[in-house]
Amino acid sequence: MTRSDERIKASSRSDQWSEAVVRPRTTESRVAVHRRLVLVFALSLVTLLTVTGVAVLLSLRADDCSGPDGEGTRAGAGPRAEGGRGNGSRGERGGDEEEKPWRRSRLPGSLLPRHYDLDLRVHMDNFTFTGEVSIRLDCVNATKYIVLSASRSASRGVGGAARVLRHFSVPANQMYVLALHRELRPMRTYRVNITFQAVIENDLLGFYRSSYLQDQEKRYLAVTQFSPVHARKAFPCFDEPVFKATFSLSLHHDPQYTSLSNMPVESSSLAEDGWLTNRFAQTPRMSTYYLAWSVCNFTYRETHTETGVTVRLYARPDAIASGAGDYALQITRRLLGFYQQYFNVKYSLPKLDLLAVPKHPYAAMENWGLSIFVEQKLLLDAEVSSSSYQMELTMVVVHEICHQWFGDLVTPMWWEDVWLKEGFAHFFEYVGTDFLFPKWNMEKQRFLTDVLHEVMLLDGLSSSHPISQEVTEATDIDRVFDLIAYKKGAALIRMLASVMGQQLFQRGLNDYLTTHMYSNAARNDLWNKLTQAMQSAGRDIDVREMMDRWTLQMGYPVVTIVRSQSDEILNSDIIISQEHFLYSQETATLRINISYQWLIPLTVAMGNVTVISQESLIWINNKTEIHRLGEIDDDSWLLGNIDQTGYYRVNYDLNNWRLLTQQLQTNHQIISVGNRAGLIDDAFNLARAGLLPQDIPLQLIGYLPGEHSFLPWHAASRVLYQLDRLLDRTENYSVFSDYVLQQVSSRYHRMGWPSPVTTGAVMQASYQTEELQRELIMLACSFGNKHCHRQAVALISDWISSNKNRIPPNVRDMVYCTGVSLMDEDVWEFIWMKFHSSRAVSEKKVLLEALTCSDNSFLLSRLLNLSLSSELVPEQDLIDVIIHVGRNPHGRHLAWSFFRDKWTLLNSRYGEALFLNSKLIGGVTEYLNTEDELNELKEFHASEGGGPAMSRALEVVEGNVRWHRLHQRHLYQWLRKAYDNTAHAY
């Protein structure tokens, strides 16, 4: 849409979107300078297979913006100034940027985009689109260069009376440069217009296409995925988060399709050629990677919040008709109200659409007003979906809705602080889910096993990294989107919220959001607001001083608590020390000159067989400190990190471990559920790191037959599965599996199996009971309980003979897997057939994963090769197939060989997608544990690279091999000594 020679009128709007826009100041009188620079060049992007000549029209205009309604930007208040406020943002631009700004990894700050008019004509018949973008720019500093983000660009020459000296692409930095004849002058507004033609690609990034079956007919849709740096694949822009602007989008397409974008349709019209034009309302000021649109044949259902926000869920027509989207739609309506109340900040847009697409590189993307989900994270079939599936879907929705505030409304200044949005959204997965379903108790329980314990595994490696890490190149951005950003970010936020208390925490978040809405922020902006909230309550805690230790250093501490044995120190004193926890003590020894210290909020309590004291908060700042708790008799034990609110492990002297073990055996309920789970996780991981004898954790879980709560069992199952995969190919494996079955058998038989569910109701009343029952069945079947095997085989046989699936949804994954493992090839073929015929996305996922459980190497190889075809297995599911085959001891080497043989194909398919490549590398190598496999991995790493994910994989496998060398023999010795290794009828 061309608007050359149009005066940029002073805005009189009073809404927050425009008020949040910073404005330039000048004392010059109003002048108007009209010049045109015309050039033709070819814009070639990674997603563009065919490129036309591009006409660029620059309308140069200088407007007086000194009045209150001016629409400029304050000089120096753009990205450069924001990045230079000392807010913990690196990568600021220097004064020499004008010499050759394209040599820098980031865009220069001389020009700031104010507004984009984007006009697209989408041809779904041949998957092409033509477009024109008109960008209104404010000049902050004089410049002769217009530098835009573009994946690649190729010049075709300049025609007409253009005052452009040259124009060229910089592929290494994904930039396109226009070198001008004259400088653009500060405090003036300009416009650049670019037209282009491109292909809607068949991949997962930029503007891409997907397909689905409706009434046996293949249909197509086109959708965007711009995060983190893929808007530049679709159109030239200032594709960095700090360059916020408003967007006006028009989409032209065949009227049989529906088009969606961030904002509601403002006007709709049919042209003489029969094409439909939808013009969408102007967006708030936002980053390019949150712009979104889609052209599809979907239908929808809608609801409305109490404040009048329209919420719609779009999906395949048959999914909408079946009601598969109703659950997500209703919880979204409730969540918008919850977040508005919690943050005390109103949702900013008039609508929110949820779009379920068949193919997407991630679980979901939080585009403002148009959040896009892969189908299996949004659609719920009540008759076949398990409680675990419902929980996972719920948390994905909760996560994305939180982003409408943390991410969309307030955006991190730069990618080094991506955890400012991802950590918060991940933390609120549990807080928001507790709002929806208080009985699930997610934040106090599942957070521990699913977030804290999981990320500590990764963060205990020497190849880990600080949560805030420097990002300079566009190719480096992918590596900051990992479990450290998401899960460690969430764990640190939870720890800080616990220290502050909910009221002060909410007050600080409200101040942070209201101060920085429609703008960008860095971590110090958050720390300042939280510190102010603390000071308002008379609490003198410098949040920045505390949190810099946790965000700028990698890893976490192990806090060791030892009661004094010295006559010179009272028996009420305890000695507390902190050290950097690493699984490799060899690495820890080498890092002796690297002194990591944390400011640790350590909570400690004392207890005995009948009572536990109130917790005490002790701030630990030094390597070793002595603190007085009170009288500690010989039979009292110490317990640290109460309810696991802190991001650290706790170790004790061996006598204290003995007392804790005895307490669990005598009366485990004296210790909270969260701490019982924490003790199990800490003990096993301290032993794996060589900081505890191998028998301590095994003795600790000896109380489990009497454990009635889900969380300790879940914590135990996680560490036992890790041990299982280390031992499952060893000669004496049955010694270990018999030991596990001894712990599981009695509780498994008491809990029994769920009755078949025929009502279609998902997540019945007793969630904790259902989850414990599921956990015990999974352990029993996995480790060879004969009753469990017979039950699974009977359920599968009934399904095959009756063609009626009466298997309870909550245990279908275990039953399918066990049946495929124990029964013949015909069962595998039956499950493969059901995978293709099922229309329920949750059921398809479970069926596909069950196929990886076979003991038949031929079938596993067949599945791996069939999964390469996106017509048979969705592209994003191939990674899960490879990983699950690798988890099967009969398929581990097959998956590893397949991964190496197909690396070029896999890397080309998933290399640019966040998470997918690192998920694949980590998943397929995680349980390699022999010297030969380690050497193969080293050779592969040397020849193919693989980036940080491969370095982490190498360290994990080295740790697996080292554990076998140092600890396997001691583990088996204790098991043989403690238990009679005779046949058991489990």
Side-chain angles (χ1 to χ4, degrees):
M1 183 186 300
T2 302
R3 295 182 181 176
S4 56
D5 297 326
E6 172 191 47
R7 176 173 295 279
I8 301 174
K9 303 186 188 309
S11 172
S12 60
R13 292 177 300 174
S14 60
D15 59 41
Q16 281 189 306
W17 297 354
S18 56
E19 287 302 313
V21 178
V22 288
R23 311 174 189 287
R25 295 169 292 195
T26 178
T27 57
E28 297 178 11
S29 59
R30 181 177 300 247
V31 294
V33 179
H34 301 278
R35 298 183 185 273
R36 282 198 182 120
L37 303 179
V38 182
L39 63 90
V40 178
F41 66 93
L43 178 66
S44 170
L45 306 173
V46 168
T47 57
L48 312 185
L49 293 183
T50 60
V51 184
T52 64
V54 181
V56 177
L57 175 65
L58 291 177
S59 299
L60 308 185
R61 183 177 315 283
D63 287 348
D64 178 7
C65 299
S66 59
D69 296 327
E71 237 185 295
T73 303
R74 285 197 305 270
R80 188 193 313 196
E82 289 182 295
R85 288 180 297 173
N87 272 344
S89 180
R90 307 188 194 103
E92 293 122 16
R93 303 161 179 80
D96 63 342
E97 67 174 18
E98 187 59 23
E99 293 181 6
K100 289 183 178 179
W102 55 88
R103 289 189 173 181
R104 304 179 72 86
S105 59
R106 292 175 59 181
L107 295 173
S110 301
L111 297 172
L112 303 182
R114 165 71 49 205
H115 178 77
Y116 292 78
D117 283 302
L118 185 58
D119 193 86
L120 299 175
R121 191 173 182 88
V122 180
H123 301 265
M124 293 298 292
D125 55 345
N126 62 4
F127 305 118
T128 64
F129 69 101
T130 58
E132 178 179 2
V133 62
S134 178
I135 312 173
R136 197 163 70 222
L137 307 169
D138 286 337
C139 184
V140 176
N141 300 312
T143 180
K144 285 188 175 182
Y145 304 106
I146 297 176
V147 184
L148 297 166
S149 301
S151 293
R152 284 183 300 178
S153 191
S155 172
R156 288 186 57 186
V158 179
R163 293 182 177 270
V164 176
L165 293 178
R166 57 194 175 117
H167 46 100
F168 51 91
S169 62
V170 187
N173 290 338
Q174 299 183 4
M175 295 178 184
Y176 194 81
V177 183
L178 306 177
L180 307 178
H181 180 70
R182 292 183 181 179
E183 282 189 336
L184 304 182
R185 298 175 60 188
M187 306 304 167
R188 282 155 173 75
T189 300
Y190 301 92
R191 183 181 295 274
V192 56
N193 299 327
I194 305 171
T195 60
F196 50 91
Q197 176 177 313
V199 165
I200 304 169
E201 284 287 11
N202 187 27
D203 59 17
L204 301 173
L205 302 171
F207 186 30
Y208 72 94
R209 67 183 187 265
S210 184
S211 63
Y212 60 97
L213 288 177
Q214 181 70 31
D215 300 326
Q216 303 304 311
E217 176 189 353
K218 192 171 187 178
R219 295 186 181 181
Y220 290 91
L221 68 145
V223 66
T224 58
Q225 172 54 42
F226 288 163
S227 176
V229 290
H230 303 301
R232 65 191 67 178
K233 291 177 179 291
F235 67 105
C237 55
F238 291 79
D239 199 17
E240 293 180 8
V242 77
F243 288 104
K244 285 195 168 186
T246 54
F247 295 82
S248 293
L249 173 67
S250 294
L251 288 174
H252 312 268
H253 53 81
D254 189 309
Q256 69 172 300
Y257 290 92
T258 297
S259 56
L260 306 170
S261 188
N262 306 79
M263 299 297 290
V265 173
E266 193 171 56
S267 66
S268 187
S269 61
L270 278 173
E272 292 183 1
D273 60 4
W275 273 49
L276 177 69
T277 296
N278 279 336
R279 293 181 174 85
F280 297 89
Q282 180 176 303
T283 71
R285 189 167 179 259
M286 65 184 193
S287 301
T288 48
Y289 73 91
Y290 283 131
L291 181 65
W293 65 80
S294 178
V295 177
C296 59
N297 281 124
F298 285 176
T299 56
Y300 68 88
R301 289 192 183 177
E302 75 174 30
T303 186
H304 301 272
T305 69
E306 293 180 356
T307 56
V309 176
T310 300
V311 184
R312 289 180 175 176
L313 189 145
Y314 287 83
R316 292 178 281 108
D318 56 348
I320 292 295
S322 72
D326 292 355
Y327 172 77
L329 182 66
Q330 294 307 317
I331 65 170
T332 298
R333 178 184 59 81
R334 295 179 60 196
L335 285 167
L336 285 174
F338 165 73
Y339 283 124
Q340 286 186 152
Q341 183 176 18
Y342 192 101
F343 299 138
N344 196 23
V345 176
K346 186 179 179 181
Y347 177 69
S348 303
L349 275 60
K351 65 96 173 176
L352 174 58
D353 294 334
L354 311 180
L355 179 63
V357 299
K359 184 172 70 171
H360 196 266
Y362 320 121
M365 177 61 204
E366 70 271 14
N367 307 306
W368 214 353
L370 178 59
S371 292
I372 300 172
F373 298 72
V374 69
E375 286 183 336
Q376 64 189 27
K377 302 302 181 185
L378 195 65
L379 303 180
L380 180 73
D381 189 320
E383 293 185 358
V384 300
S385 297
S386 68
S387 58
S388 296
Y389 179 86
Q390 184 194 6
M391 184 183 71
E392 184 178 357
L393 182 152
T394 301
M395 296 177 74
V396 171
V397 174
V398 174
H399 181 109
E400 303 310 322
I401 305 307
C402 179
H403 272 316
Q404 306 295 305
W405 284 264
F406 280 89
D408 298 21
L409 182 65
V410 178
T411 310
M413 190 84 67
W414 183 238
W415 300 108
E416 66 184 9
D417 280 332
V418 72
W419 71 272
L420 280 178
K421 70 184 186 77
E422 298 301 347
F424 268 100
H426 201 57
F427 170 66
F428 276 99
E429 284 183 29
Y430 296 82
V431 176
T433 303
D434 274 345
F435 160 75
L436 295 171
F437 303 101
K439 291 184 178 179
W440 293 10
N441 209 9
M442 298 294 290
E443 189 268 326
K444 292 188 182 302
Q445 294 201 16
R446 285 300 285 259
F447 187 95
L448 305 184
T449 52
D450 297 2
V451 179
L452 186 66
H453 298 172
E454 182 173 347
V455 73
M456 281 183 157
L457 289 171
L458 178 64
D459 209 19
L461 301 174
S462 62
S463 55
S464 186
H465 59 78
I467 195 171
S468 290
Q469 55 178 328
E470 187 170 1
V471 176
T472 55
E473 307 293 334
T475 52
D476 291 337
I477 293 171
D478 287 4
R479 64 183 169 85
V480 303
F481 284 85
D482 63 3
L483 289 184
I484 298 296
Y486 284 68
K487 293 183 181 286
K488 183 176 181 177
L492 294 183
I493 291 163
R494 179 174 178 266
M495 178 172 69
L496 183 55
S498 177
V499 170
M500 295 182 67
Q502 182 171 321
Q503 186 176 7
L504 292 180
F505 182 63
Q506 287 184 246
R507 183 185 303 173
L509 294 188
N510 169 259
D511 198 10
Y512 170 77
L513 289 170
T514 54
T515 299
H516 300 287
M517 59 173 52
Y518 308 106
S519 189
N520 301 81
R523 59 183 176 273
N524 287 345
D525 295 317
L526 176 64
W527 304 151
N528 291 339
K529 295 302 181 183
L530 295 179
T531 298
Q532 290 170 17
M534 297 281 275
Q535 291 173 344
S536 71
R539 297 177 62 185
D540 188 20
I541 295 179
D542 187 330
V543 175
R544 177 178 178 180
E545 180 185 1
M546 170 190 172
M547 296 306 295
D548 275 355
R549 306 272 192 98
W550 297 94
T551 60
L552 302 182
Q553 294 179 158
M554 63 174 277
Y556 56 88
V558 52
V559 177
T560 302
I561 304 173
V562 178
R563 68 182 72 196
S564 169
Q565 301 295 324
S566 171
D567 294 336
E568 299 177 2
I569 302 177
L570 298 175
N571 64 357
S572 59
D573 290 342
I574 56 174
I575 303 168
I576 304 173
S577 59
Q578 60 163 299
E579 291 291 340
H580 182 195
F581 177 86
L582 288 169
Y583 284 103
S584 170
Q585 292 307 298
E586 297 169 7
T587 304
T589 303
L590 293 173
R591 295 175 64 88
I592 195 168
N593 294 324
I594 302 176
S595 181
Y596 285 161
Q597 283 184 219
W598 289 265
L599 185 55
I600 305 170
L602 174 65
T603 49
V604 185
M606 292 185 296
N608 55 40
V609 71
T610 58
V611 67
I612 186 170
S613 70
Q614 187 174 356
E615 68 185 71
S616 301
L617 175 62
I618 302 172
W619 286 94
I620 308 299
N621 192 28
N622 301 304
K623 285 285 188 181
T624 303
E625 300 180 5
I626 297 175
H627 290 269
R628 179 163 300 173
L629 278 185
E631 194 70 25
I632 309 174
D633 60 45
D634 291 342
D635 294 326
S636 295
W637 40 260
L638 297 168
L639 183 67
N641 197 10
I642 305 303
D643 293 328
Q644 291 234 287
T645 56
Y647 187 70
Y648 48 86
R649 297 196 185 280
V650 183
N651 199 1
Y652 310 93
D653 57 80
L654 292 181
N655 184 59
N656 199 74
W657 279 111
R658 179 183 61 80
L659 291 171
L660 287 168
T661 300
Q662 289 176 353
Q663 180 66 63
L664 292 176
Q665 292 281 3
T666 304
N667 182 6
H668 61 264
Q669 293 185 339
I670 290 291
I671 299 174
S672 71
V673 169
N675 275 112
R676 300 202 299 269
L679 283 169
I680 291 169
D681 188 72
D682 277 350
F684 273 90
N685 283 282
L686 290 166
R688 182 164 183 173
L691 299 176
L692 272 183
Q694 299 301 304
D695 61 302
I696 295 293
L698 296 173
Q699 292 182 53
L700 188 76
I701 64 171
Y703 90 99
L704 281 176
E707 176 62 78
H708 295 257
S709 296
F710 160 71
L711 192 70
W713 273 106
H714 190 49
S717 71
R718 289 171 58 87
V719 292
L720 289 171
Y721 286 133
Q722 291 164 15
L723 266 180
D724 177 62
R725 302 237 161 70
L726 282 172
L727 298 170
D728 60 11
R729 294 182 294 176
T730 60
E731 182 180 355
N732 299 307
Y733 172 71
S734 62
V735 178
F736 172 69
S737 62
D738 284 352
Y739 161 76
V740 175
L741 287 177
Q742 281 185 324
Q743 309 308 308
V744 172
S745 183
S746 62
R747 181 59 52 190
Y748 160 75
H749 286 294
R750 286 193 188 99
M751 293 294 294
W753 280 66
S755 301
V757 178
T758 58
T759 61
V762 183
M763 200 70 84
Q764 303 296 320
S766 55
Y767 164 73
Q768 298 289 343
T769 300
E770 287 186 1
E771 287 299 281
L772 175 57
Q773 185 180 57
R774 170 183 163 80
E775 198 76 55
L776 291 166
I777 292 171
M778 185 182 298
L779 282 164
C781 277
S782 297
F783 285 93
N785 180 284
K786 293 181 175 60
H787 177 273
C788 192
H789 284 180
R790 287 194 298 269
Q791 186 76 5
V793 168
L795 287 168
I796 287 278
S797 299
D798 175 72
W799 182 20
I800 294 173
S801 62
S802 67
N803 204 27
K804 291 181 180 179
N805 191 343
R806 290 184 274 260
I807 303 169
N810 225 31
V811 295
R812 284 189 178 181
D813 53 350
M814 284 92 75
V815 171
Y816 295 172
C817 182
T818 304
V820 167
S821 173
L822 297 176
M823 302 170 79
D824 59 25
E825 185 175 338
D826 289 342
V827 174
W828 194 96
E829 296 289 355
F830 176 80
I831 297 292
W832 175 252
M833 177 191 68
K834 290 296 183 181
F835 164 69
H836 286 288
S837 62
S838 175
R839 301 297 296 159
V841 291
S842 61
E843 181 76 350
K844 289 181 75 70
K845 181 177 185 295
V846 173
L847 289 163
L848 181 62
E849 290 181 359
L851 294 168
T852 68
C853 298
S854 176
D855 291 354
N856 187 317
S857 297
F858 170 77
L859 292 176
L860 294 175
S861 294
R862 179 184 169 197
L863 178 63
L864 287 168
N865 287 299
L866 289 172
S867 297
L868 288 172
S869 170
S870 59
E871 296 296 318
L872 297 175
V873 174
E875 283 185 26
Q876 63 264 29
D877 290 340
L878 169 59
I879 288 177
D880 288 330
V881 169
I882 300 172
I883 291 173
H884 280 80
V885 171
R887 289 176 180 171
N888 181 341
H890 300 281
R892 192 159 303 154
H893 192 70
L894 289 174
W896 171 226
S897 298
F898 182 84
F899 169 82
R900 286 177 292 160
D901 293 343
K902 304 298 181 183
W903 168 250
T904 301
L905 171 64
L906 295 170
N907 192 43
S908 65
R909 184 180 291 188
Y910 304 112
E912 284 193 273
L914 300 179
F915 306 116
L916 294 187
N917 221 24
S918 59
K919 177 184 177 183
L920 173 62
I921 292 171
V924 81
T925 60
E926 183 178 7
Y927 297 111
L928 302 178
N929 55 39
T930 68
E931 290 282 359
D932 288 344
E933 288 167 342
L934 175 59
N935 291 331
E936 289 171 353
L937 181 59
K938 287 179 177 179
E939 291 174 8
F940 183 82
H941 182 38
S943 62
E944 300 293 345
M950 191 62 74
S951 299
R952 285 194 298 271
L954 190 60
E955 184 179 356
V956 169
V957 177
E958 287 174 337
N960 293 344
V961 173
R962 182 173 56 253
W963 185 90
H964 273 281
R965 185 177 70 249
L966 297 177
H967 303 305
Q968 181 196 148
R969 183 171 58 87
H970 297 100
L971 180 82
Y972 277 134
Q973 282 177 345
W974 184 86
L975 288 172
R976 288 193 187 93
K977 183 178 178 181
Y979 295 97
D980 179 10
N981 188 28
T982 58
H984 298 280
Y986 296 128

